[in-house]
Structure formats: structure tokens, C-alpha cells
Amino acid sequence: MKIFIDSADLEEIRKACEWGIIEGATTNPSLIKKAVEKMGRKISMEDYIKEILRTVPGPVSLEVIAVKAEEMIEQAKALYKKFSPYGEVVIKIPVNPSLSEGDGLDFDGLKAIRRLSREGIPVNCTLVMSPEQAILAAKAGATYVSPFAGRIDDYIRIKMGMKIGIDFRKEDYFDPILLNKIVDFKISEQLSNYSSIAEAYKSQDMRKLVQMIQDNGIISGVDLVAKIVKIFRIYGFKTQVIASSIRNARQVREVAETGVDIVTIPFEVLREMVRHQKTLEGMRDFMADVVSQYREIFEQR
Ligand code: E4P
């Protein structure tokens, strides 16, 4: 499994690359906005992106900002031509760029992916929220698909009536196993109210309860990644899966357990991954126990 950094902040990217564990980076317009706001001064976006490309030892995803296939293809080619001399450019295309129901743009992402892939431009298909979308992106020829694990967790929390950031903070772990157990318990409590299994199965209350804790059969962001990985392996799809929208260290471990190809991780989560209170405690103990005889070995030149 490769680790990418999910950031457009050059300072973060530089630091993480110095740690020697980064093999790529993913950006998006929101991450670029965050980086620009942090800089607090006018910067040449072009020079800034060139520097990101020079820093990262692997593919860097840059996103288009159009929604129609032809315009996305044009922008993708411009980005690819301008920045390829500085590093490995991958173009991010949304799986479905539609901004409102019925605007007729549902398939423009796939059309753009198909054309760009045929012309040898690698595409990272972004905003993937279902295995169904991932299958279409792979069929269109995407080099990568990016399922957004954290956003699916948020979506399920909202369906349950939880407010993001209050019931669970962003960095908290969202536990679908606990939720499923609660629902199992609720269902077994209610079963005696029905005269037959069929009646219980058809009950709207039962259905609502189950649907609340999932998104069309997907029970968490990690589950979304796991299902995509499974389908791609069954059919031998070449498209690589990038677990995205990662919110905490445990989520990284759980997507790693799915056999995902790549995980793109925000800087803060990388920091969380390397920390453990027992490691800190152990370090303090070892340092306090250093005897002078042992220290002398290091002092001899
Ligand atoms: C992926 O490539 C995206 O940049 C990213 O993971 C989005 O995640 P978010 O939900 O934290 O915005």
C-alpha cells in the first residue's frame, strides 16, 4: 500500500516528504484555497504548483474546475502540458460533475475520463461515493478512483440525526460495528410486535431503522473502500483505488486491511499515526535509564 499526502500546503508536503514515507500527493480546489489562505499573501499559483511537483516523489493529482466534458478535457490537457515537466501529473476528474438535477452533465465526467485515458493522460476519478460509480470510472479507463471514506461516514451520521462535529468530532472514529449492534438489539426488541417474519420484514419502521445506519447497503467509509477493492480484484480491473477523505489513524489501518492500493492522508492524521502515549512513556523511561558507561560509547570519537 502506498501513502500519499492529501494536501496542497507546500510546508506540510515538504515536511512529510522529508519523513521519507510519501509516494504521491492529492490536491483539490478546497485544499488549494486552504493553502492560499494560509500563505496570506499573493503567490504565483503556477510557481507554487511547480514546487509541489518538484517536492513530491510520485504522482500529484490536480483537479479541473469545469463541468462539461469538452472543457474538462481542455483544462486537463493544459494542466498536463504546463506541469508535466516538473513532476508526475495526474488529472482529477469528478465521476459526475453535475451541479443540479437535470442539467444533463451526469456522464460528462466519464466521457472526459475515457478521452483523456485514451490519449495517455492519467486520471484520478474523484468524488466517488459508491461502488457503482467506481465501476463506471474503471470501465471508462481511470488510472485511479478516489472513494471518499470520511464523507460517507459523515453522511450516515447526518442520516441518523447526528450533527457532525458535535456527536462525533472530525477526528473521532465512527464505529459502524457498534451501530449495527444497536440496530440488531432494537430489531430483536421489536420482533414480538409482529405476527410473522414477513410482516416484520415489510414493516416501514424496521426498514427506516436499517436504512438510517447505511447508505444503500454501505455501512461506513471503510466499507465503501472494501467493496470497491473487492469488486476490482474479482474482475482484475487495473484501476488503482485511493482511499480518500481520511479522518483518523484507525481509519487508515482499516482501509489498509481491505488491501487498498493507496491511501491519501492529511498531514494531521500522519502525525496522529506516529504517536502513542505508551511510546512516549517508553521513550521517557529509556532516556531516564541511560547510564554513564553507556553514554560514554557515544561520546568517544
Ligand atoms: C481526495 O483526493 C480529496 O482531496 C480528499 O480526500 C477530500 O477529503 P475531505 O472530505 O477531507 O475534503
mmCIF file of all heavy atoms in Angstrom, residues 6 26-28 31 92 146 148 151 170 244-247 264, ligand 1:
data_model
loop_
_atom_site.group_PDB
_atom_site.id
_atom_site.type_symbol
_atom_site.label_atom_id
_atom_site.label_comp_id
_atom_site.label_asym_id
_atom_site.label_seq_id
_atom_site.Cartn_x
_atom_site.Cartn_y
_atom_site.Cartn_z
ATOM 1 N N ASP A 6 -2.574 14.107 1.435
ATOM 2 C CA ASP A 6 -3.774 14.789 0.944
ATOM 3 C C ASP A 6 -3.671 16.249 1.373
ATOM 4 O O ASP A 6 -4.195 16.644 2.424
ATOM 5 C CB ASP A 6 -5.006 14.113 1.574
ATOM 6 C CG ASP A 6 -6.301 14.474 0.866
ATOM 7 O OD1 ASP A 6 -6.254 14.912 -0.305
ATOM 8 O OD2 ASP A 6 -7.373 14.309 1.477
ATOM 9 N N THR A 26 -2.322 14.353 -3.285
ATOM 10 C CA THR A 26 -3.605 14.674 -3.912
ATOM 11 C C THR A 26 -4.014 16.072 -3.465
ATOM 12 O O THR A 26 -3.898 16.417 -2.291
ATOM 13 C CB THR A 26 -4.697 13.657 -3.499
ATOM 14 O OG1 THR A 26 -4.667 13.478 -2.082
ATOM 15 C CG2 THR A 26 -4.492 12.313 -4.172
ATOM 16 N N THR A 27 -4.472 16.869 -4.442
ATOM 17 C CA THR A 27 -4.973 18.210 -4.121
ATOM 18 C C THR A 27 -6.401 18.303 -4.647
ATOM 19 O O THR A 27 -6.856 17.438 -5.395
ATOM 20 C CB THR A 27 -4.124 19.314 -4.791
ATOM 21 O OG1 THR A 27 -4.378 19.299 -6.209
ATOM 22 C CG2 THR A 27 -2.634 19.125 -4.552
ATOM 23 N N ASN A 28 -7.088 19.341 -4.220
ATOM 24 C CA ASN A 28 -8.399 19.663 -4.800
ATOM 25 C C ASN A 28 -8.592 21.163 -4.610
ATOM 26 O O ASN A 28 -7.810 21.801 -3.882
ATOM 27 C CB ASN A 28 -9.516 18.808 -4.168
ATOM 28 C CG ASN A 28 -9.686 19.059 -2.678
ATOM 29 O OD1 ASN A 28 -9.649 20.195 -2.215
ATOM 30 N ND2 ASN A 28 -9.858 17.996 -1.907
ATOM 31 N N LEU A 31 -8.485 22.299 -0.963
ATOM 32 C CA LEU A 31 -7.159 22.228 -0.325
ATOM 33 C C LEU A 31 -6.273 23.365 -0.835
ATOM 34 O O LEU A 31 -5.481 23.936 -0.078
ATOM 35 C CB LEU A 31 -6.512 20.865 -0.612
ATOM 36 C CG LEU A 31 -7.152 19.656 0.093
ATOM 37 C CD1 LEU A 31 -6.540 18.350 -0.403
ATOM 38 C CD2 LEU A 31 -6.998 19.753 1.611
ATOM 39 N N LYS A 92 -7.384 15.142 -11.956
ATOM 40 C CA LYS A 92 -8.570 14.731 -11.189
ATOM 41 C C LYS A 92 -9.826 15.166 -11.938
ATOM 42 O O LYS A 92 -10.014 16.354 -12.232
ATOM 43 C CB LYS A 92 -8.554 15.414 -9.831
ATOM 44 C CG LYS A 92 -8.228 14.492 -8.695
ATOM 45 C CD LYS A 92 -8.433 15.226 -7.393
ATOM 46 C CE LYS A 92 -8.202 14.331 -6.219
ATOM 47 N NZ LYS A 92 -8.403 15.050 -4.970
ATOM 48 N N SER A 146 -11.007 7.524 -6.429
ATOM 49 C CA SER A 146 -10.874 8.000 -5.048
ATOM 50 C C SER A 146 -12.205 7.944 -4.309
ATOM 51 O O SER A 146 -13.003 8.885 -4.374
ATOM 52 C CB SER A 146 -10.351 9.448 -5.043
ATOM 53 O OG SER A 146 -9.020 9.489 -5.483
ATOM 54 N N PHE A 148 -14.438 8.497 -1.153
ATOM 55 C CA PHE A 148 -14.336 9.461 -0.043
ATOM 56 C C PHE A 148 -14.891 8.847 1.245
ATOM 57 O O PHE A 148 -16.062 9.033 1.583
ATOM 58 C CB PHE A 148 -15.107 10.738 -0.388
ATOM 59 C CG PHE A 148 -14.340 11.721 -1.231
ATOM 60 C CD1 PHE A 148 -13.483 11.300 -2.237
ATOM 61 C CD2 PHE A 148 -14.483 13.086 -1.034
ATOM 62 C CE1 PHE A 148 -12.773 12.207 -3.018
ATOM 63 C CE2 PHE A 148 -13.785 14.003 -1.804
ATOM 64 C CZ PHE A 148 -12.927 13.574 -2.801
ATOM 65 N N ARG A 151 -16.373 11.305 4.102
ATOM 66 C CA ARG A 151 -17.641 11.969 3.758
ATOM 67 C C ARG A 151 -18.813 10.993 3.813
ATOM 68 O O ARG A 151 -19.939 11.401 4.078
ATOM 69 C CB ARG A 151 -17.538 12.627 2.384
ATOM 70 C CG ARG A 151 -16.589 13.805 2.405
ATOM 71 C CD ARG A 151 -16.819 14.736 1.267
ATOM 72 N NE ARG A 151 -15.702 15.668 1.170
ATOM 73 C CZ ARG A 151 -15.687 16.721 0.398
ATOM 74 N NH1 ARG A 151 -16.728 16.991 -0.363
ATOM 75 N NH2 ARG A 151 -14.637 17.521 0.371
ATOM 76 N N LYS A 170 -14.521 15.623 14.163
ATOM 77 C CA LYS A 170 -13.966 15.158 12.893
ATOM 78 C C LYS A 170 -12.911 14.072 13.096
ATOM 79 O O LYS A 170 -12.828 13.124 12.336
ATOM 80 C CB LYS A 170 -13.372 16.346 12.117
ATOM 81 C CG LYS A 170 -13.091 16.014 10.683
ATOM 82 C CD LYS A 170 -12.597 17.196 9.902
ATOM 83 C CE LYS A 170 -12.352 16.759 8.455
ATOM 84 N NZ LYS A 170 -11.677 17.760 7.669
ATOM 85 N N SER A 244 -9.677 7.839 0.222
ATOM 86 C CA SER A 244 -9.582 9.301 0.386
ATOM 87 C C SER A 244 -10.512 9.784 1.486
ATOM 88 O O SER A 244 -11.294 9.010 2.025
ATOM 89 C CB SER A 244 -9.971 9.991 -0.928
ATOM 90 O OG SER A 244 -9.213 9.484 -1.982
ATOM 91 N N SER A 245 -10.421 11.108 1.752
ATOM 92 C CA SER A 245 -11.258 11.726 2.790
ATOM 93 C C SER A 245 -11.058 10.974 4.110
ATOM 94 O O SER A 245 -12.003 10.527 4.754
ATOM 95 C CB SER A 245 -12.725 11.690 2.336
ATOM 96 O OG SER A 245 -13.570 12.332 3.239
ATOM 97 N N ILE A 246 -9.795 10.843 4.470
ATOM 98 C CA ILE A 246 -9.409 10.083 5.669
ATOM 99 C C ILE A 246 -9.401 11.028 6.873
ATOM 100 O O ILE A 246 -8.871 12.130 6.800
ATOM 101 C CB ILE A 246 -8.011 9.438 5.444
ATOM 102 C CG1 ILE A 246 -8.089 8.360 4.354
ATOM 103 C CG2 ILE A 246 -7.429 8.889 6.743
ATOM 104 C CD1 ILE A 246 -8.928 7.151 4.663
ATOM 105 N N ARG A 247 -9.994 10.576 7.980
ATOM 106 C CA ARG A 247 -10.185 11.472 9.122
ATOM 107 C C ARG A 247 -9.377 11.106 10.357
ATOM 108 O O ARG A 247 -9.244 11.910 11.268
ATOM 109 C CB ARG A 247 -11.670 11.498 9.508
ATOM 110 C CG ARG A 247 -12.587 11.974 8.404
ATOM 111 C CD ARG A 247 -12.397 13.460 8.199
ATOM 112 N NE ARG A 247 -12.925 13.904 6.924
ATOM 113 C CZ ARG A 247 -14.214 14.091 6.652
ATOM 114 N NH1 ARG A 247 -15.103 13.842 7.566
ATOM 115 N NH2 ARG A 247 -14.586 14.516 5.470
ATOM 116 N N THR A 264 -4.593 8.230 0.794
ATOM 117 C CA THR A 264 -4.111 9.611 0.807
ATOM 118 C C THR A 264 -4.507 10.232 2.136
ATOM 119 O O THR A 264 -5.680 10.211 2.530
ATOM 120 C CB THR A 264 -4.587 10.419 -0.425
ATOM 121 O OG1 THR A 264 -3.926 11.691 -0.406
ATOM 122 C CG2 THR A 264 -6.099 10.619 -0.496
HETATM 123 C C1 E4P B 1 -9.108 13.298 -2.230
HETATM 124 O O1 E4P B 1 -8.297 13.232 -3.140
HETATM 125 C C2 E4P B 1 -9.607 14.539 -1.631
HETATM 126 O O2 E4P B 1 -8.635 15.538 -1.741
HETATM 127 C C3 E4P B 1 -9.898 14.466 -0.150
HETATM 128 O O3 E4P B 1 -9.550 13.240 0.409
HETATM 129 C C4 E4P B 1 -11.175 15.083 0.285
HETATM 130 O O4 E4P B 1 -11.436 14.816 1.621
HETATM 131 P P1 E4P B 1 -12.284 15.701 2.622
HETATM 132 O O5 E4P B 1 -13.558 15.006 2.845
HETATM 133 O O6 E4P B 1 -11.466 15.766 3.886
HETATM 134 O O7 E4P B 1 -12.455 17.064 1.987
#
